[in-house]
Amino acid sequence: MTKIYLLPTGFVETPQRHEGDSLRLAGTMLWFSQIEFISRDAATTQRKLVAVREWDAFVAALPQSARARCAMLLERITAPRAALQMGTHRVSLEQPQVMAIINATPDSFSDGGKNLDTDIAAKAAVAMSTAGAAIIDIGGESTRPGAPLIAEGEELNRVAPLIRRLAGAGTAISIDTRKAPVMEGALQAGATMINDISALLYDDRAVDVARKSNVPVVLMHAPSQSNDPHKDGVYDDVVYDVFDWLEQRVSAVEAAGLSREMILVDPGIGFGKTLADNLAIINNLAIYHGLGCALLFGASRKRLIGALSNEAEAADRLGGSIFLAIKAVEQGAHIVRVHDAAETIQAIKVWRGLRDAALQG
């Protein structure tokens, strides 16, 4: 069976100077002038770079099934993403937003476990919100390679007091968990988004909880939905395999009753993927706009940065983290998930200043 993918590329700084030659990417501040048409079957992968102005004529020469697939993918790629309604908060996706990480765990690879203390974590979260983070993502269980599984009650006890405190102060909160009871408890405490590394597959009740809660849900790709999300990371071509998996998962979750506009996708950098796999995904990140969902990207302080920078420890990966966040933003990522919120927000503000100047030019 032949599979078709579209990769928006050829980004232009000033689209108004090239009327008719570019299209807007997923409602963001980016315009693209070319589309890479990718056709794959069991034996070969063929690529054709087509200018936006020539796209209609190119597609008209394709078989009917391919024309229909191209029309659907391009509609998804260019459709604006609806703002996320998180309780009383409305998070616009027309400009890149920051999701700031709080790991309320004793074994966090990024902060040494200091945020297990609710007072310390709350102070850090308030600082991140004040700096401009739109969402605070709170997790109570480490999912790094080799991390132990903990009981649902213990996980909820780690996050619920912090969520209640921050929600009471008006913060938009995401709960980072794969367990339905933790989702329920966090939502009751005031969380208004679910961020699940298993894409609602780890727990049989998770889809139902998400559907009933009517909050935005992040579906992340991992090669396994077992206790170890990093195992079984073997791919034919990681970029397309992750796309296929997420496309099927979004369709299944949508069929279960969740609106596509409430679904975000995350390709899962670092989860069961080699350095080469991660780099391939990052370099082709724009392809995932073809899923028709808001795109979330998280590579902050991850191992790939150390692998590319003399094995720098997690605490010394700020420069790489900021670069990867901007790399994602430049491919239309709607949300970047980061540990260093203030520094990333400053970088995005500078990026946006440059974009504003170009778009006004």
Side-chain angles (χ1 to χ4, degrees):
M1 182 180 70
T2 300
K3 296 182 179 179
I4 291 174
Y5 310 84
L6 301 183
L7 174 65
T9 187
F11 293 99
V12 296
E13 292 298 307
T14 313
Q16 59 267 36
R17 293 181 186 170
H18 309 283
E19 187 174 354
D21 288 328
S22 64
L23 295 170
R24 190 174 182 182
L25 180 64
T28 67
M29 301 173 71
L30 297 166
W31 275 256
F32 60 97
S33 64
Q34 296 174 310
I35 302 167
E36 186 172 357
F37 171 86
I38 304 160
S39 176
R40 300 181 72 233
D41 58 30
T44 61
T45 298
Q46 298 181 350
R47 297 177 175 86
K48 174 71 174 178
L49 194 61
V50 184
V52 162
R53 186 175 289 276
E54 299 168 358
W55 180 250
D56 289 345
F58 171 79
V59 172
L62 296 175
Q64 173 58 35
S65 60
R67 293 200 301 270
R69 172 72 171 170
C70 286
M72 180 186 70
L73 289 174
L74 188 59
E75 181 179 3
R76 289 177 176 177
I77 287 168
T78 56
R81 305 305 190 244
L84 303 177
Q85 195 63 47
M86 298 182 62
T88 59
H89 294 267
R90 184 179 181 274
V91 180
S92 171
L93 299 179
E94 294 181 353
Q95 59 181 332
Q97 301 287 0
V98 165
M99 171 188 278
I101 301 165
I102 293 289
N103 291 317
T105 64
D107 54 351
S108 170
F109 85 97
S110 62
D111 59 39
K114 65 181 181 181
N115 285 323
L116 189 60
D117 183 297
T118 299
D119 291 334
I120 293 173
K123 184 176 180 180
V126 169
M128 290 170 166
S129 294
T130 301
I135 303 165
I136 304 296
D137 189 45
I138 299 174
E141 180 181 60
S142 175
T143 52
R144 74 185 192 285
L149 186 71
I150 66 170
E152 298 160 353
E154 181 179 356
E155 183 179 344
L156 184 57
N157 287 338
R158 290 176 179 179
V159 300
L162 178 59
I163 292 172
R164 280 193 290 269
R165 181 182 298 191
L166 294 175
T171 306
I173 299 166
S174 165
I175 177 62
D176 178 3
T177 187
R178 51 189 167 171
K179 301 170 186 170
V182 180
M183 294 175 191
E184 291 173 320
L187 293 167
Q188 291 170 3
T192 50
M193 174 183 279
I194 295 169
N195 181 13
D196 185 354
I197 66 164
S198 78
L200 305 179
L201 284 167
Y202 179 81
D203 191 313
D204 291 341
R205 293 182 51 243
V207 170
D208 194 49
V209 171
R211 179 181 58 79
K212 291 178 179 177
S213 70
N214 196 35
V215 300
V217 177
V218 181
L219 305 180
M220 193 198 80
H221 172 273
S224 173
Q225 287 71 54
S226 66
N227 289 345
D228 179 5
H230 299 273
K231 74 176 186 177
D232 301 328
V234 179
Y235 310 96
D236 178 29
D237 186 305
V238 69
V239 173
Y240 309 120
D241 290 354
V242 169
F243 186 101
D244 292 343
W245 190 93
L246 284 171
E247 186 171 35
Q248 292 170 8
R249 190 65 195 137
V250 169
S251 294
V253 170
E254 188 177 30
L258 278 77
S259 167
R260 187 174 289 256
E261 68 180 20
M262 300 286 282
I263 300 171
L264 299 87
V265 292
D266 177 351
I269 297 297
F271 280 80
K273 300 174 180 75
T274 65
L275 174 61
D277 292 336
N278 289 319
L279 297 180
I281 289 171
I282 294 167
N283 279 326
N284 294 275
L285 191 66
I287 200 170
Y288 299 105
H289 291 295
L291 297 167
C293 299
L295 179 58
L296 185 146
F297 176 84
S300 177
R301 299 191 188 179
K302 288 193 174 179
R303 188 175 298 176
L304 75 104
I305 300 170
L308 295 171
S309 56
N310 300 317
E311 300 303 328
E313 296 295 329
D316 299 319
R317 297 173 184 170
L318 174 61
S321 297
I322 291 176
F323 178 82
L324 290 178
I326 296 300
K327 176 72 172 177
V329 164
E330 288 186 332
Q331 295 184 77
H334 297 92
I335 300 175
V336 289
R337 181 179 180 271
V338 305
H339 298 86
D340 304 288
E343 295 86 348
T344 307
I345 289 163
Q346 183 182 77
I348 290 174
K349 284 181 177 178
V350 173
W351 176 87
R352 182 176 176 184
L354 290 167
R355 292 299 301 142
D356 285 341
L359 295 174
Q360 292 168 9

